[in-house]
Amino acid sequence: MIHITLPDGSVRSYEADVTPMDVAKSISEGFARNVISAKFNGTTIETVTPLTTDGSLVLYTWNDSEGKTAFWHSSAHVLAQAIEELYPGVKLTIGPAIENGFYYDVDFGNISISEKDFKAIEDKMLEIARGKHEFKMRSATKAEALQLYKGNPYKTELIENLEDGTITFCDHATFTDLCRGGHIPNTGIIKAAKVLSVAGAYWRGNENNPQLTRVYGISFPKQKELTEYLELLEEAKKRDHRKLGKELELFTFSQKVGQGLPLWLPKGAALRERLENFLKAAQKKAGYEMVVTPHIGQKELYVTSGHYAKYGADSFQPISTPKDGEEFLLKPMNCPHHCEIYNNSQWSYKDLPKRYAEFGTVYRYEQSGELHGLTRVRGFTQDDAHLFCTPDQLDAEFKNVIDLVLYVFGSLGFENFTAQVSLRDPENPDKYIGSLENWEKAENAIMSATIDKGLNYTVKTGEAAFYGPKLDFMVKDALGRQWQLGTIQVDYNLPERFNLTYKGSDNELHRPVMIHRAPFGSMERFIAILLEHTAGNFPLWLMPTQAIILSISEKYEKYAEKVLNLLENDEIRALVDHRNETIGKKIREAEMQKHPYMIIIGEQEEKENKITVRQHGGEDLGMISIEDFSKIIKTEISKTLKSF
């Protein structure tokens, strides 16, 4: 007998060679019908894999992220089979599951596929799926694997890097693929499939290698779910921050300036400034001091911090000066500069904590194929802060930063989020700097603060920064997509590398603890996500223009200017549309520009010294006094923007 521990802590006994599916059936036949993947002792296995030892078993359904991974990984095999049958002679490479769906990279040779070919591929996939073919894993020798793929240089390269005895294949129907495993029981579970797009992709991401065609797809266990997903995609296209950013005149890009380097237009710059001022006001109340650091630093600064060793080879290369041997780097991080600011003075324990904040622009060389609007750029501004405190102050300081992050989220309408505690990977110590003792202290501090604050959290091993563990905030937007926004990190290592000290009550020198913190993360990425979350309908306090004044004709321009002055005196951001256009056209264009309120002025309004107010989206508030309109604006803002 073997003993299987389930996620609820219960232990069940079975005969050796029991399969995960057998275990599922022993729990409930109904549950077993929904099980599509399994993990045993932390390793993903098939639902039909015999279990021969004691261990922990987790069973996954479509509702689990691991279940979706297995579903989409299996679907990638079906996509590959469909392509191979429709286009004989193509060379398959790799096809993983991704966050939403899967892809397969294919060398099509001289064949070019486009959107017109998608339906044929989808139909073939569903034809294969209806066969209810089981996914079966088998081992193969290196010689057998090389023989099978003797005409495919891509698979051959993969096999050459594998050890004999570790090579496995997955078979279903008449199709075979090199694979480590992790599949659904059979193809019949796939009820709906869609080819989403094709794109170019270099083999193994290296631009010196051949270019392949990457075919993206997605699949579901129900047609209804695919329909809902495609509707979501259409809504996402409408909300695409690149589209909205252009329509709302917030930012642009220029090939002459360079890829991944956004240019902020006046409206976008004003939006950024309001966000910065919002956070600066909260930081001031929380005891932060603003600092400013240069955009470059000597290479040695980043060698000391460890950033050069970790990122130097893949980032912007050193800048040589006329002085022999002198090299500078574009700033990849603000933290080394803040360490040197701390080092400018001698501190006592009575002076701590020191909280330095900066909206600091940093530069990282992202591959051109990975650049995407504002979410992936080469130059971006972080709302960075670094807190230097005693070990005794760490818990309170960390919790205060959590409060600040939650205040930011609440003021901007991000209400659906979870916290992710990102820890080091104990199996891969070379990824990190610093002693095990310091890492354990930092990880324990984050876990303690997270639990005490009552956050809904998950733990992710291997996701820590190279210098310390972190607490990341995973936010769901209006479309249900998850984004990482806001991060807090505990760092015992940089204080050691920069020899940071303070004099303790014992009159001896001690090492401070460092907290890295960025509620927005980066201004660029945050604004992109906020644009898509709100569809450009920002919270009223943040809108570039809170009200636009539309006069029915030129006769009422003077009264329009009077209304504008009164609103501006009440600190309401407004403007007048002076154009000689029909009121209907002005209203339509104001709607497109997403102005929250439209103030319509004509003969009756001027006569009664009032305004007619129309809200974005079509609701008519009728004719009211300017004072009452100001109260409406201030009441709405106060509901969202509470004091910190």
Side-chain angles (χ1 to χ4, degrees):
M1 301 290 286
I2 59 173
H3 305 290
I4 304 298
T5 303
L6 299 174
D8 63 359
S10 63
V11 180
R12 296 188 177 214
S13 299
Y14 298 93
E15 296 289 338
D17 291 334
V18 67
T19 68
M21 188 56 74
D22 293 332
V23 174
K25 288 176 180 177
S26 74
I27 297 171
S28 159
E29 286 287 343
F31 173 61
R33 283 193 291 273
N34 292 311
V35 169
I36 58 175
S37 180
K39 188 173 283 187
F40 188 64
N41 289 338
T43 300
T44 299
I45 58 173
E46 310 298 304
T47 58
V48 293
T49 301
L51 307 179
T52 58
T53 63
D54 295 349
S56 299
L57 177 68
V58 186
L59 300 165
Y60 298 117
T61 70
W62 166 255
N63 294 323
D64 302 304
S65 60
E66 293 86 349
K68 286 183 172 67
T69 297
F71 192 95
W72 286 330
H73 170 65
S74 305
S75 299
H77 283 292
V78 176
L79 170 64
Q81 181 185 358
I83 289 172
E84 201 168 57
E85 290 185 10
L86 291 170
Y87 305 96
V90 299
K91 295 181 176 64
L92 302 175
T93 65
I94 57 171
I98 54 178
E99 184 179 1
N100 283 302
F102 50 89
Y103 69 77
Y104 215 106
D105 285 348
V106 184
D107 184 344
F108 279 92
N110 295 324
I111 299 169
S112 177
I113 69 166
S114 63
E115 195 168 345
K116 63 180 175 59
D117 304 301
F118 291 179
K119 188 175 186 308
I121 298 173
E122 294 160 7
D123 290 344
K124 178 60 72 172
M125 286 182 70
L126 293 176
E127 178 189 320
I128 294 166
R130 285 192 291 269
K132 298 183 179 180
H133 308 290
E134 293 183 4
F135 290 94
K136 299 178 181 178
M137 295 296 297
R138 61 181 171 87
S139 298
T141 65
K142 195 165 188 173
E144 289 170 341
L146 290 171
Q147 177 62 28
L148 179 65
Y149 286 117
K150 62 183 178 182
N152 185 326
Y154 309 103
K155 296 287 192 184
T156 299
E157 182 180 326
L158 294 174
I159 295 164
E160 290 287 6
N161 292 320
L162 299 175
E163 295 294 324
D164 212 340
T166 66
I167 299 170
T168 52
F169 284 89
C170 177
D171 302 326
H172 77 269
T174 59
F175 182 75
T176 294
D177 206 356
L178 182 70
C179 184
R180 291 195 184 96
H183 304 91
I184 58 178
N186 65 75
T187 62
I189 300 170
I190 303 168
K191 301 295 187 184
K194 183 73 177 174
V195 177
L196 297 173
S197 63
V198 291
Y202 292 108
W203 169 236
R204 291 194 148 182
N206 187 332
E207 58 188 18
N208 296 317
N209 286 338
Q211 190 173 52
L212 308 169
T213 299
R214 177 166 294 178
V215 184
Y216 286 97
I218 198 163
S219 56
F220 293 90
K222 294 179 182 177
Q223 177 62 42
K224 178 174 177 282
E225 290 176 292
L226 173 58
T227 302
E228 290 171 351
Y229 179 78
L230 294 178
E231 289 172 354
L232 198 67
L233 277 188
E234 283 304 308
E235 181 61 27
K237 287 178 183 176
K238 296 176 189 174
R239 291 172 178 254
D240 190 316
H241 75 276
R242 296 167 298 178
K243 173 178 175 288
L244 290 174
K246 184 176 182 180
E247 291 173 357
L248 300 178
E249 299 175 344
L250 299 178
F251 60 88
T252 188
F253 289 89
S254 163
Q255 287 297 321
K256 288 183 179 178
V257 173
Q259 284 186 297
L261 300 171
L263 299 171
W264 290 91
L265 304 176
K267 289 181 183 178
L271 176 73
R272 279 179 60 127
E273 184 179 25
R274 279 190 290 279
L275 281 171
E276 288 185 13
N277 290 340
F278 156 72
L279 187 55
K280 282 177 181 176
Q283 287 177 162
K284 186 175 182 180
K285 290 182 180 179
Y288 288 79
E289 300 172 280
M290 295 301 297
V291 297
V292 178
T293 62
H295 290 249
I296 65 172
Q298 286 203 94
K299 177 182 171 182
E300 186 58 35
L301 177 70
Y302 309 110
V303 171
T304 300
S305 69
H307 290 100
Y308 187 76
K310 293 292 178 182
Y311 304 123
D314 298 319
S315 194
F316 287 101
Q317 293 307 291
I319 304 165
S320 297
T321 72
K323 183 179 178 181
D324 190 35
E326 186 176 57
E327 291 183 314
F328 286 78
L329 286 179
L330 288 171
K331 179 172 61 174
M333 287 279 193
N334 297 301
C335 31
H337 297 252
H338 291 191
C339 287
E340 287 301 287
I341 288 177
Y342 179 91
N343 252 344
N344 181 59
S345 302
Q346 294 294 318
W347 304 106
S348 158
Y349 71 97
K350 296 178 181 178
D351 301 314
L352 301 185
K354 299 300 294 182
R355 308 179 187 97
Y356 297 133
E358 175 182 18
F359 286 88
T361 302
V362 297
Y363 303 89
R364 300 180 195 166
Y365 187 79
E366 301 285 358
Q367 295 293 328
S368 59
E370 296 176 343
L371 298 174
H372 183 80
L374 295 181
T375 59
R376 202 72 180 266
V377 289
R378 288 173 173 168
F380 54 95
T381 301
Q382 294 180 306
D383 60 319
D384 233 343
H386 297 93
L387 295 77
F388 303 89
C389 61
T390 69
D392 290 343
Q393 295 168 334
L394 176 60
D395 184 64
E397 288 299 306
F398 197 92
K399 289 174 180 175
N400 288 342
V401 175
I402 290 176
D403 289 338
L404 180 62
V405 172
L406 299 184
Y407 167 69
V408 169
F409 288 175
S411 298
L412 289 159
F414 289 110
E415 298 171 353
N416 188 356
F417 63 87
T418 57
Q420 176 180 299
V421 180
S422 299
L423 307 178
R424 73 196 184 288
D425 180 0
E427 304 297 321
N428 198 356
D430 292 341
K431 284 175 62 177
Y432 312 100
I433 61 174
S435 68
L436 180 60
E437 178 188 5
N438 281 346
W439 272 92
E440 288 177 346
K441 286 192 289 186
E443 290 179 343
N444 290 337
I446 286 183
M447 286 299 302
S448 174
T450 301
I451 292 169
D452 287 351
K453 294 299 290 186
L455 296 179
N456 178 21
Y457 74 95
T458 59
V459 176
K460 290 285 186 180
T461 300
E463 295 293 319
F466 74 90
Y467 47 77
K470 56 183 179 171
L471 179 66
D472 292 326
F473 290 84
M474 315 304 290
V475 175
K476 278 194 174 180
D477 68 11
L479 298 182
R481 300 170 301 182
Q482 185 165 273
W483 304 88
Q484 187 264 309
L485 280 180
T487 185
I488 318 172
Q489 303 161 2
V490 176
D491 183 1
Y492 282 82
N493 293 311
L494 285 188
E496 283 190 359
R497 285 181 166 246
F498 282 92
N499 195 28
L500 308 184
T501 61
Y502 68 91
K503 189 170 285 187
S505 58
D506 57 2
N507 221 30
E508 297 292 328
L509 291 179
H510 298 271
R511 193 78 71 202
V513 185
M514 189 172 174
I515 298 175
H516 305 244
R517 177 241 74 179
F520 292 146
S522 88
M523 298 299 292
E524 286 72 13
R525 188 168 176 274
F526 188 86
I527 288 172
I529 294 167
L530 186 61
L531 259 173
E532 299 195 1
H533 176 59
T534 63
N537 299 304
F538 298 118
L540 187 59
W541 68 266
L542 187 59
M543 287 297 290
T545 301
Q546 293 166 325
I548 185 167
I549 302 166
L550 313 174
S551 59
I552 289 176
S553 77
E554 293 179 4
K555 289 193 294 183
Y556 310 109
E557 288 293 309
K558 192 172 180 180
Y559 182 58
E561 289 295 333
K562 176 186 173 182
V563 172
L564 175 65
N565 290 334
L566 290 171
L567 293 177
E568 288 180 339
N569 289 341
D570 242 349
E571 297 184 341
I572 294 171
R573 293 187 294 277
L575 59 84
V576 178
D577 185 344
H578 290 288
R579 296 174 306 152
N580 185 23
E581 299 286 357
T582 65
I583 191 66
K585 183 173 183 180
K586 287 182 178 182
I587 290 173
R588 285 194 301 274
E589 293 185 359
E591 282 282 349
M592 289 177 62
Q593 285 291 309
K594 303 186 185 292
H595 295 299
Y597 291 95
M598 284 153 269
I599 295 173
I600 300 165
I601 287 173
E603 181 180 2
Q604 193 68 22
E605 288 79 14
E606 183 179 42
K607 184 178 178 180
E608 297 188 26
N609 201 32
K610 291 186 177 182
I611 55 177
T612 294
V613 180
R614 176 189 173 98
Q615 205 165 4
H616 175 61
E619 185 180 351
D620 193 345
L621 303 185
M623 190 184 295
I624 59 176
S625 70
I626 298 169
E627 293 78 11
D628 285 345
F629 177 67
S630 293
K631 287 177 185 175
I632 290 172
I633 294 282
K634 290 176 180 177
T635 300
E636 186 175 339
I637 290 174
S638 67
K639 287 178 182 176
T640 307
L641 190 59
K642 297 178 174 62
S643 60
F644 178 65

